[in-house]
Amino acid sequence: MTQETQAQFTPANFKSDQSVRWCPGCGDHAILNTLHKAMSTLGVAPHKTAVISGIGCSSRLPYYMNTYGFHTIHGRAAAIATGFKVANPEMTVWQISGDGDGLAIGGNHFIHAVRRNIDINIILFNNKIYGLTKGQYSPTSDRGFVSKSSPYGTVEDPFIPAELVFGARGNFFARSIDVELATSQEVLVAAARHKGTAVTEILQNCVIFNNGIHNPITDKEVRADKTIHLRHGEKMIFGKNGDKGLVQDGFLLKAVTIGEDGYTLDDVLVHDAHTPSNFLHQQLAMMDGKELPLAVGVIRDVEAPTYDQAVAEQVAEVKGRKNFGSLREMILAGETWEVK
Amino acid sequence: MKYSLSGDFDLQINSLHTLNHLFTTMLENAKVRELDKVVVRFSGDSGDGMQLAGNIFTNVSAGLGNLVSTFPDYPAEIRAPQGSLSGVSGFQVSVGTGVHTPGDSCDVLIAMNPAALKQNYRFLKPGGVIIVDIDSFKEGDLRKALFETDKPFEELGIKAQVVEVPVTSMTRAALADSGLDNKSVLKCRNIFALGLVCWLFDRPMEAALRHLRNKFAKKPAIYEANALVLQAGYNYGNNIHASVSTYRIDTENPRPGVYTDINGNTATAWGLIMASEKCGRPLFLGSYPITPATDILHELAKRKDLGVKAIQMEDEIAGVCSAIGASFAGNLAVTSTSGPGLALKSEGIGLAVIAELPLVVIDVQRGGPSTGLPTKTEQTDLMQALYGRNGESPLAVVAPASPTDCFTMAFEACRIAVEHMTPVILLSDAFIGNGSSAWRVPDADEFPEIKTPYVPAGTEGWRPYDRNAETLARYWAIPGTEGLAHRLGGLEKDATTGSISTDPANHEKMVKLRREKIARIAYDIPALEVIGREDAETLLVGWGGTYGHIRTASEELCREGEKVAMAQFRYINPLPANTGEVLRKYKKVIVAELNTGMFADYLQAKFPEVKIERINKIQGQPFQVSELKERTKEIING
């Protein structure tokens, strides 16, 4: 990508003329703006971009894009995006889903899209609540969560989105927080550049029905200590003073303070997002901000054959081998008889 | 519009001459019977290869210029217990002239074991012949088929001529030096039976061998074994011909052209490919395996050689949704399924209705409700196709009338979908999907170009719900095109701007626009055609795959002096523009269908001035011509 092509587009090129109708203070506004910015740096024209969503607050997003867009039905965005990308592989395809849309009603399509490694960029807006239906627990709500549909608390465990991605043998997983604009832009650009299914989870705040759900991790006062920004090739260091690091502890990870308990900078792990093994990636992605800091940034980014390209290559290969010009030629090459 | 009932739609060999059936026999007191067609039914265990034997016999006969029509009747179980009644698989084929159906009953029944005999002897015509593998009629075999005595023929009260052939031991003898193991040897029994039937009907060995060679192209040893057994079966017939009647079937010249044997599901797949060639958009299939529609997925998966992208998705919903995505992306998009799958796809189809995207949904109907009778035929998805969605959600529905008509109507479904920017449901069924006929390969220019409604070049300020004034169809803006980026969605849109709208008047306007768009398709489809005598007073009406039986019943009734004509609907929504005019001409209008009266209700609601009489059957089986005739006469005289 040359500097010239990157300079072709501005965020405004990706904005539609529709007025944005999310609630004031909703985390979606920040994600939308970041997406406009990220897209403007990719060198991909708006008319070569498609944004496909399911149903939910976040799924209104395509209307705010000056790209090809499709606001579809609940849970099916991944299946629709898959068909779209296979049919028209030249397009850069984004899928917008919330935690309910993507992981509850659309859970099956989500894991199969990841398994196939179709080249789409899934942004998963995780606010741990159903907003558009006014406040029911979602498949990412914590056990015991009280909501309108769980007045006495839920009695079920949530999905950790990253765990589903790794369970489905995903090759790209990144995470950000709605208010961290720079991180969001960084991971969305990385997701777009990755060939294959790229899942980016963004912790999003629903100001009306689940306000502050991520605060224990994302509050300004605690964020530096409760999160770690992973970057490929860099030491896994975090903390307000940049003095904390992640080290290997047997098969597990441990957070230490550099200079204490005999740990030095040399003991701190270096992040390798490109290693094919997902063992460490999964451990990093499962850190939840309690004993270990929640990881943001690109956690896994491994190249693998993509579904859409494999389909196209197989078609080209078989087509080239058989070399039929038309249906009629194909039929005539088979078993026929002529009547004169 | 060229897709008329009297043209290629039927079987393509237009000989009106009566075949000269030479019924030769070496028996004393022989008499020569004049038959206009011969029906053979192969039956055996589902693992006995009866479908293969039947298929080869069909192809060989079609290659000789006979009209053919087949009916594979197989169980839902892949391998039910060997020799059991539930594991019997049958394949019936009719060959001759004037063949529109596989026949109500057969002249020759091949029963490879007692279970097959028990399940199938009732399909034998009076005076027919039964051929059994007598080696498979041992005590244990009889017990598996729940016979109570060791005299199966007496127990069933069979009076027909039974030819007891030691198929198993003759097959073994033929392959004594082949080096094949016992299991492989036994697998060739069906081909011995085929050889015998080929002798019986004077089919040339070379043609049957060619089919076997193709079938076992990758297994030369198996081919060699089957070739030996085929010849052994033929020779056996030759040697015992002193005791069996043989038939020799002559043929007349059919319409010139190149022919192939085709079943309805393959014809459907090929019709889609033809439409893709004629509309200039690549073909995409998103599907999920389901009986009896899966063969469409199989065929299109093979057709990568023609650039088809056929993908197997994770479920039925993903099947239709991937197709909707592909349609938005600019492909000719199709999903294939059967009734339960159509139910799962309903919400997706509604999205295609409101987004006004071209989409073809193929429903190869089977017995329902729920899992129902997965391998049996029925016409019970009509109401689901017409109305099975939330909201005012009109779409086009078409129904092929025969295996070969699946090609034409799949093409038509695509043409309507693209030219009118709408989902179209194609209602095929298990009977025509699995049944096969000889089909003349259409010439390159026989089907019209499809006028794909691209946004006209140079359009300024195009908006996604701008419409063609004549058809009311939106334009198809292909993603990747500069200047046409737009957003679609399941939310109601403003008729003018295409933005989200909750305006009450706009919603009503859009509902009516979508409805009117479908209604106007009536001006873009052929008129309803009536077949039969001019002075008919009774019109026998059918839709979809019952054509062959209704046509035959109508012709036979005419020959018997009844004033009957018939009309088969292939365009269900909208109906042909002349429908009311046609129906009002007749004293009696009888709708015959394989459900409790869905199409009759539909017609009655649209044409209250016409009294619709009904003939219904819901047994998972096609009509029998005889029962259609009987019920029609009752209604005429009633």
Side-chain angles (χ1 to χ4, degrees), chain A residues 267-300:
Chain A
D267 296 315
V268 175
L269 292 166
V270 173
H271 182 46
D272 181 0
H274 303 326
T275 184
S277 164
N278 66 12
F279 180 71
L280 194 56
H281 296 153
Q282 187 159 0
Q283 288 192 56
L284 290 166
M286 294 294 286
M287 301 189 303
D288 59 6
K290 289 170 186 157
E291 284 187 16
L292 294 169
L294 178 106
V296 299
V298 177
I299 295 167
R300 178 174 173 81

Side-chain angles (χ1 to χ4, degrees), chain B residues 519-548:
Chain B
R520 289 191 187 183
I521 296 169
Y523 306 111
D524 191 26
I525 56 175
L528 180 66
E529 197 178 339
V530 175
I531 301 173
R533 49 198 291 176
E534 293 278 329
D535 63 345
E537 293 175 353
T538 299
L539 185 69
L540 206 44
V541 169
W543 64 277
T546 53
Y547 163 75

